[in-house]
Amino acid sequence: MRDTIINLPSSIRASAKRTGALLCLLFATVHNPSYAADAELSGVKQEISRQQDQLSSKKKQLNKLQGDLKKQELAISSTAKQIRTAEANLRNVNATISDLQQQQQELEQQRLGQLELLKELLTTHYLTQRNNNLANVLSGNDVTTMERMNQYSGHLAKARVAIVAELDSLTEQLKEKEQSLTHKKSEQNALLAKRKKEKNKLLTAQSKRKKTVSSIKKNISDDNSYLNELQQNEKRLKTEIAKAAKIPAVQKVPMDGLGKRKGKLIWPLSGKTLHNFGTKQTGRLTWKGMVLSSDYGKPVKAVYSGKVVFADYLRGYGLLLLIDHGKGDMTLYGYNQSLMKQEGELVQAGETIALAGDTGGQDQPSLYFEIRRNSKAQNPKKWLRK
């Protein structure tokens, strides 16, 4: 019998051994109930340990993905800012080139006018000289006539010298303008090349971000994971708001709170409302603010004057800006592509504080807007103009 088993194929031998082990365990369980309980308890502990390891691994993976997303979105924001700077510089260079070309045309017109004037002077000088010789003959060398003609000739000569000097000056100015124009065109080409390079860099970064966002969604695809992620995001936001509330108030701008301005605040931007305050987000969680649709790079305005107390990236909210308006009132602006203000800066109502975007892993460009009074979220629509 032993020889028969040995001669069996390896896959069958392995199956036979497992079957034998299971039979031994079964007989031990039947004849020893306490062993069965111990074995069951051990199996449960092993399963709990496995689940904990799996959750820990999943959490580490999510944290890494969120870290990658933060780096990618900050890189996209930086690149977009460089493109805006390059385009602003390009507009300035184009304006300078246009101005130089206009100046060139004006100088050329002056040069042509001076040439015509010089021709007239030369013609007049020639005729004067001829008439002077004729006068000498007719006047019998009349001294008065000769002196008058000589003085006139002298004036013509001085005028001719002045015109020639002016022509030389205009020619030199035209030469300088041509050199400046050549330099500016070279600068223009360099800026165009830089903008193209930065746009390609931006496309690459956006492609990486898209993959990362997709991976994050897969990681938190079940409701419990998504709910936990949102709860952690809310906790992080509350922590930052609590820190901001401890920053001393300033008096260089009105810090009188929003109490008297209910229903009068300007909108941070115009756009379709994607999510309203109080509507379901997931599970028992509801939206603490509102989400407004936007275009990339659309200016985001401060709804009232105050002090920027937070301007940084926050998980779940992307590039976030928090303004303290005094008396415990704050407004929050999230999902931005770029922040135009830094922590500590003062802002006025209607001032551009950010550019709308899709940071924080959003599917489309939008603005997340909140109003908080003593850390408690308010319905923004009750505070904004109708």
Side-chain angles (χ1 to χ4, degrees):
M1 181 67 176
R2 180 175 177 275
D3 293 337
T4 304
I5 292 174
I6 290 171
N7 291 327
L8 287 171
S10 59
S11 61
I12 297 176
R13 287 204 310 273
S15 177
K17 287 178 182 178
R18 286 197 299 272
T19 303
L22 285 170
L23 287 171
C24 290
L25 180 62
L26 177 62
F27 285 127
T29 302
V30 171
H31 294 289
N32 191 349
S34 64
Y35 176 83
D38 290 343
E40 184 177 353
L41 180 60
S42 176
V44 170
K45 286 181 177 178
Q46 287 178 3
E47 178 60 20
I48 289 172
S49 178
R50 187 187 69 79
Q51 291 281 358
Q52 287 176 337
D53 289 343
Q54 187 177 354
L55 286 171
S56 177
S57 174
K58 191 174 182 179
K59 187 176 180 181
K60 286 178 182 177
Q61 185 183 9
L62 178 60
N63 288 338
K64 182 182 181 303
L65 286 169
Q66 288 285 5
D68 291 342
L69 180 65
K70 178 181 177 179
K71 288 177 184 176
Q72 289 159 4
E73 291 188 332
L74 287 175
I76 289 170
S77 175
S78 176
T79 303
K81 187 176 181 180
Q82 289 173 359
I83 289 172
R84 288 197 303 275
T85 301
E87 288 179 341
N89 290 337
L90 188 59
R91 285 193 295 272
N92 291 335
V93 167
N94 288 339
T96 303
I97 288 173
S98 179
D99 188 45
L100 284 170
Q101 288 172 336
Q102 180 64 30
Q103 290 176 31
Q104 263 189 328
Q105 290 176 4
E106 290 173 0
L107 286 170
E108 182 62 20
Q109 288 297 320
Q110 289 179 39
R111 191 182 72 84
L112 292 173
Q114 291 296 326
L115 279 173
E116 286 298 319
L117 197 57
L118 182 60
K119 287 178 184 178
E120 289 177 11
L121 281 172
L122 289 173
T123 302
T124 304
H125 182 69
Y126 168 75
L127 292 173
T128 302
Q129 286 296 103
R130 190 180 67 176
N131 292 337
N132 192 17
N133 293 333
L134 180 61
N136 287 338
V137 173
L138 296 175
S139 64
N141 295 325
D142 181 27
V143 176
T144 304
T145 304
M146 289 176 62
E147 284 181 356
R148 188 174 67 251
M149 296 302 289
N150 285 335
Q151 285 178 358
Y152 188 58
S153 295
H155 288 311
L156 288 175
K158 285 180 181 179
R160 185 179 62 191
V161 169
I163 290 173
V164 170
E166 180 68 18
L167 278 170
D168 288 342
S169 174
L170 289 170
T171 303
E172 187 62 31
Q173 288 181 58
L174 279 168
K175 186 178 178 182
E176 289 175 1
K177 296 297 179 187
E178 186 64 36
Q179 289 174 346
S180 297
L181 197 56
T182 301
H183 173 72
K184 285 297 178 184
K185 284 185 176 179
S186 176
E187 188 178 341
Q188 180 189 49
N189 291 332
L191 284 169
L192 286 168
K194 182 180 180 181
R195 185 178 64 175
K196 184 179 179 181
K197 180 182 176 182
E198 294 296 342
K199 283 192 172 180
N200 289 336
K201 183 179 172 184
L202 181 65
L203 289 172
T204 302
Q206 286 174 334
S207 177
K208 288 181 180 178
R209 174 191 177 275
K210 189 175 180 181
K211 291 178 182 177
T212 303
V213 170
S214 177
S215 297
I216 289 172
K217 285 183 177 179
K218 287 178 182 176
N219 195 287
I220 57 172
S221 57
D222 64 275
D223 290 341
N224 287 334
S225 297
Y226 184 46
L227 176 63
N228 181 63
E229 178 67 9
L230 292 175
Q231 287 173 333
Q232 291 302 314
N233 292 341
E234 173 72 7
K235 188 182 291 185
R236 280 185 280 270
L237 177 61
K238 285 182 177 179
T239 299
E240 295 303 331
I241 290 174
K243 286 180 186 176
K246 295 177 182 178
I247 298 174
V250 291
Q251 298 301 327
K252 292 183 180 180
V253 295
M255 297 291 288
D256 50 352
L258 304 176
K260 296 179 181 179
R261 289 162 185 81
K262 194 167 187 178
K264 300 176 183 178
L265 295 175
I266 63 170
W267 284 69
L269 60 71
S270 58
K272 181 183 176 183
T273 302
L274 301 177
H275 298 288
N276 273 307
F277 173 86
T279 56
K280 182 178 177 181
Q281 192 169 10
T282 188
R284 298 184 303 278
L285 281 185
T286 57
W287 286 98
K288 301 296 188 297
M290 63 192 302
V291 181
L292 300 170
S293 66
S294 179
D295 296 323
Y296 282 109
K298 189 173 183 178
V300 177
K301 310 288 186 180
V303 297
Y304 190 57
S305 61
K307 180 182 179 181
V308 177
V309 289
F310 183 85
D312 205 344
Y313 191 97
L314 188 65
R315 182 164 161 176
Y317 300 90
L319 282 167
L320 174 74
L321 196 138
L322 186 64
I323 299 177
D324 180 14
H325 303 286
K327 296 188 176 181
D329 293 339
M330 294 186 182
T331 50
L332 178 152
Y333 312 78
Y335 304 168
N336 299 294
Q337 181 191 73
S338 297
L339 302 179
M340 309 303 285
K341 298 293 179 181
Q342 296 179 347
E343 187 175 321
E345 286 192 67
L346 306 178
V347 297
Q348 298 290 341
E351 189 174 353
T352 298
I353 55 174
L355 300 178
D358 58 1
T359 57
Q362 308 311 311
D363 293 326
Q364 66 180 82
S366 55
L367 173 71
Y368 178 67
F369 177 67
E370 270 191 24
I371 295 178
R372 296 221 174 203
R373 305 203 79 193
N374 297 314
S375 299
K376 186 177 180 182
Q378 306 287 308
N379 185 351
K381 284 194 172 179
K382 292 183 178 181
W383 292 80
L384 299 170
R385 292 173 184 169
K386 303 301 181 184

